[in-house]
Amino acid sequence: MNKLLIIVPCYNEQEVLPSTIEKLSGVMNDLLQKDKISRNSGILLVNDGSRDKTWEIISDAHSKTNYIYGLDLGANVGHQNALLAGLEYAKDKFDLTVTIDADLQDDVSVIETMIDKYNGGAHIVYGVRNDRKNDSAFKRSTAKLFYKIMNMLGAKTVDNHADFRLLSNTAVTELLKYSERNIFLRGIVAKIGLKSDCVYYSRFKRTAGVTKYPLKKMISFAVEGITSLSIKPIKLIMLLGLLIIFCSILAFIYVLISYFLTETNPGWASLMISIWFLGGVQLFSVGVVGQYVGKTYIETKKRPRYTVSQILEYKD
């Protein structure tokens, strides 16, 4: 039997976490009854520096149920690093892992299908949303734009896939070889290259709590993903520079022709607009390059991604 670990990153999830634990426990019991997983399987709840009672709820659940584990991080290090902390814990201890968000907007019932695809030879099984009707129109449109921009700028991802996925121990081992601090798992997992498959499901409404990805954070997340996986933005800046040089040559030719034909000087308005435009382009370009320089600076420091404060493990 395969040992499964379901990894759930948690940040200020006290309102939804009891329901999450109950639903995931139901999934575990169902899989055990069907002999799909080993009885040494478990659920790992990773507390990402929550400021509410998330860790108290995790500790209480662990004291009552021997297959619920807890990992308490010393500070809030972000969703991606919390996932990595869980995966590093699982490496070589479990045969397969499933990562899922604590809000359970992803359909836990397809975990069984993921395991079936793993047994069929897939090392990576992506959970893909094929129906987002429970999201707001704004959320659906921004999500669609997010994936489109990411792929256009060279950060290849699986459309409508977040961080609900199954990974074999082989896939986890390969993933953890990527040692960068600016990690974007949706893109990195797609680069591993092992045999993969997908399961499709409808996305549910959040039953409690608030989303951890408002528009501002989604934009920041997209920038993080693009600059972590691709240098295409820098190439686009170079092309933009060449385009502006070409346009400036055309403008210079136009000024010369206008002067010799009409013997009048062009107005100041067009000149000021050009200066403001070029100034904006330069500041934007410096900002994009600065993103890459800043990432390089952080990578050279090789700081730890997280600190583990406490571990609650399996009890015989």
Side-chain angles (χ1 to χ4, degrees):
M1 291 295 173
N2 293 309
K3 290 177 65 178
L4 166 70
L5 185 67
I6 300 176
I7 301 171
V8 188
C10 307
Y11 177 63
N12 293 340
E13 298 286 4
Q14 66 176 14
E15 295 177 356
V16 74
L17 196 53
S19 175
T20 300
I21 293 171
E22 181 182 354
K23 289 179 180 178
L24 289 177
S25 295
V27 171
M28 290 287 292
N29 290 328
D30 183 57
L31 292 172
L32 286 169
Q33 289 176 4
K34 294 179 179 178
D35 289 331
K36 292 288 182 83
I37 58 174
S38 164
R39 296 198 172 274
N40 290 328
S41 299
I43 301 169
L44 175 65
L45 304 170
V46 183
N47 179 39
D48 184 21
S50 299
R51 296 188 297 271
D52 60 6
K53 296 181 179 180
T54 294
W55 182 244
E56 286 85 342
I57 294 172
I58 294 172
S59 299
D60 182 63
H62 170 74
S63 66
K64 296 176 179 177
T65 311
N66 63 0
Y67 59 74
I68 293 180
Y69 308 164
L71 194 64
D72 187 27
L73 304 184
N76 176 241
V77 292
H79 180 269
Q80 300 292 278
N81 285 320
L83 280 176
L84 275 176
L87 291 171
E88 289 188 352
Y89 174 84
K91 180 186 175 184
D92 297 330
K93 296 179 182 177
F94 294 86
D95 301 303
L96 62 155
T97 61
V98 170
T99 58
I100 189 169
D101 291 342
D103 57 22
L104 290 195
Q105 288 185 268
D106 300 314
D107 187 358
V108 296
S109 67
V110 302
I111 292 177
E112 182 179 349
T113 307
M114 288 181 166
I115 294 173
D116 290 339
K117 289 183 179 292
Y118 164 79
N119 290 329
H123 287 278
I124 304 168
V125 183
Y126 300 102
V128 180
R129 303 161 183 168
N130 62 0
D131 185 355
R132 304 184 70 128
K133 63 183 180 181
N134 288 319
D135 288 344
S136 65
F138 177 77
K139 178 69 174 179
R140 289 195 300 269
S141 59
T142 53
K144 185 176 180 180
L145 181 63
F146 171 81
Y147 291 110
K148 186 174 182 179
I149 292 176
M150 291 287 290
N151 288 302
M152 182 178 67
L153 292 180
K156 301 298 183 183
T157 58
V158 177
D159 286 357
N160 289 313
H161 163 71
D163 288 294
F164 182 31
R165 68 178 73 89
L166 177 148
L167 297 174
S168 69
N169 183 58
T170 301
V172 171
T173 300
E174 293 303 315
L175 173 63
L176 295 178
K177 290 179 182 178
Y178 290 81
S179 60
E180 60 257 42
R181 269 55 187 165
N182 300 287
I183 196 76
F184 185 72
L185 290 176
R186 300 181 196 184
I188 295 296
V189 170
K191 287 180 175 291
I192 293 176
L194 295 173
K195 183 180 179 182
S196 64
D197 207 334
C198 297
V199 295
Y200 299 90
Y201 63 94
S202 298
R203 182 172 169 80
F204 302 132
K205 288 184 178 180
R206 175 182 265 268
T207 57
V210 296
T211 178
K212 303 304 184 293
Y213 279 93
L215 179 61
K216 181 180 178 181
K217 196 164 184 180
M218 280 295 292
I219 293 173
S220 175
F221 193 54
V223 171
E224 182 76 18
I226 292 166
T227 53
S228 295
L229 296 172
S230 172
I231 61 170
K232 198 169 183 178
I234 294 181
K235 294 180 181 178
L236 291 176
I237 287 175
M238 183 178 68
L239 293 175
L240 180 61
L242 292 174
L243 178 62
I244 292 174
I245 291 172
F246 177 72
C247 291
S248 65
I249 293 172
L250 293 179
F252 179 71
I253 294 172
Y254 171 76
V255 169
L256 287 179
I257 293 174
S258 298
Y259 179 76
F260 286 114
L261 290 179
T262 63
E263 296 186 355
T264 58
N265 292 321
W268 286 100
S270 59
L271 177 61
M272 293 304 297
I273 291 173
S274 299
I275 291 173
W276 291 340
F277 174 73
L278 291 175
V281 169
Q282 288 174 340
L283 287 175
F284 176 76
S285 302
V286 170
V288 173
V289 174
Q291 284 282 326
Y292 287 93
V293 173
K295 286 181 180 294
T296 304
Y297 171 72
I298 292 172
E299 292 293 341
T300 57
K301 288 180 174 290
K302 297 190 180 299
R303 291 173 176 171
R305 296 189 181 108
Y306 57 85
T307 301
V308 176
S309 175
Q310 187 177 356
I311 301 176
L312 305 176
E313 295 185 288
Y314 174 79
K315 307 184 298 298
D316 290 323

